[in-house]
Amino acid sequence: VFALPKRNKTRDVPLARSVLRLLDEHMERFEPPSVTLPWRIPSGAPTTVRLLVTDDEGRPMWRNRFNDRVW
């Protein structure tokens, strides 16, 4: 499911325009896949987002795999 981070807090992260430009270029070259999952609970409303971080096969990155093998 998709949900807000811990304690339902959103976060704003400052981003330099140069980094935003690089992200835009990356997204043009490598189109982010769209994924639809329920919101908050398995029976929640379907929500579709584009993923910037995926595994080698374009699937959503599993948090534990990222922590163990990538980070």
Side-chain angles (χ1 to χ4, degrees), residues 2 4-8 11 16-18 21 25 27 34-35 37-39 44 47 53-54 56 62 68 70:
F2 287 125
L4 292 175
K6 289 188 223 176
R7 297 185 179 103
N8 294 323
R11 284 129 174 110
R17 287 182 191 210
S18 59
R21 186 172 49 255
E25 290 172 6
M27 290 172 60
S34 293
V35 175
L37 293 173
W39 182 253
T47 302
V53 178
T54 61
D56 294 338
W62 183 45
D68 292 343
V70 178

Side-chain angles (χ1 to χ4, degrees), residues 27-40:
M27 290 172 60
E28 285 179 22
R29 185 170 176 200
F30 303 100
E31 176 129 8
S34 293
V35 175
T36 302
L37 293 173
W39 182 253
R40 293 195 53 130

